[in-house]
Amino acid sequence: QSVLTQPPSVSAAPGQKVTISCSGSSSNIGNNYISWYQQLPGTAPKLLIYENDKRFSGIPDRFSGSKSGTSATLGITGLQTGDEADYYCGTWDSSLSGVVFGGGTKLTVL
Amino acid sequence: QVQLQQWGAGLLKPSETLSLTCAVYVGTFNDYYWSWIRQPPGKGLEWIGEINHSGSTNHNPSLKSRVTISVDTSKNQFSLKLTSVTAADTAVYYCARANPERRSMMDVWGKGTTVTVSS
């Protein structure tokens, strides 16, 4: 059971928009910055978003992040088949004194 | 080019000790935290722990009693040891670079080492 809660899967058609939620608590998301990662099949995770809403170097503006209270959201617009991947949220947990991740969300571009 | 190069034994028997090392070829070693993360087959990411250049560590409480993370600043390397492994420790193990102020911000990752625990 992951500390952060993500939907197991989301899907949308090419060109459409999708959002992935990440829910936590005051000890993690509520008081710490969140990061988002994309993991393509068979590869290491890749940093997409840091500090809640900042795109990492080279990440297209189709990817966006936001945070409100103890929840965060990753948005992807103009979906492409190459966006099919697993997406993870992660943040520091002040109670655990460590990094915690969500269980991951599998994005299918239909 | 290789930025984080990791290596270690890929096949272990139950009760043995997992040992992995990650060599850093990117950035200034002393400026970051260095993390270990694992991913069991078909499952999500699990943070194992982290270390900085001075040897300050943090560990996942669920693994803390079995984990040792160490650093060798003379070689720009850091290592993971996990004792008394079981089949539940079978996973891909990644090393990663973490921002010292935003420790969930891991911007450079190793390629991963597959570790299988089987008798």
Side-chain angles (χ1 to χ4, degrees), chain A:
Chain A
Q1 194 81 345
S2 300
V3 173
L4 306 180
T5 301
Q6 297 181 235
S9 64
V10 296
S11 62
Q16 296 301 303
K17 173 182 177 177
V18 71
T19 60
I20 297 173
S21 62
C22 177
S23 177
S25 68
S26 59
S27 68
N28 42 67
I29 296 177
N31 285 285
N32 294 285
Y33 286 115
I34 194 157
S35 301
W36 287 94
Y37 296 87
Q38 176 193 61
Q39 187 177 33
L40 298 170
T43 69
K46 170 183 160 184
L47 179 65
L48 295 176
I49 301 289
Y50 68 99
E51 290 184 10
N52 304 333
D53 57 8
K54 294 181 173 57
R55 280 185 301 278
F56 188 58
S57 175
I59 302 303
D61 59 7
R62 299 188 299 107
F63 294 86
S64 64
S66 64
K67 187 183 102 167
S68 178
T70 59
S71 294
T73 302
L74 174 70
I76 311 172
T77 60
L79 279 171
Q80 303 172 0
T81 55
D83 296 331
E84 285 202 336
D86 293 323
Y87 292 83
Y88 293 89
C89 56
T91 188
W92 185 261
D93 190 297
S94 304
S95 296
L96 298 174
S97 294
V99 174
V100 291
F101 290 104
T105 299
K106 182 176 182 60
L107 169 63
T108 301
V109 181
L110 302 168

Side-chain angles (χ1 to χ4, degrees), chain B residues 81-104:
Chain B
K81 289 191 187 303
L82 179 66
T83 61
S84 304
V85 298
T86 70
D89 296 310
T90 293
V92 177
Y93 286 74
Y94 295 100
C95 57
R97 184 177 83 171
N99 184 290
E101 303 299 325
R102 310 281 182 258
R103 305 255 263 287
S104 71

Side-chain angles (χ1 to χ4, degrees), chain B residues 67-80:
Chain B
V67 168
T68 301
I69 299 176
S70 59
V71 66
D72 185 340
T73 55
S74 68
K75 296 181 179 179
N76 282 6
Q77 294 177 0
F78 62 107
S79 299
L80 168 70

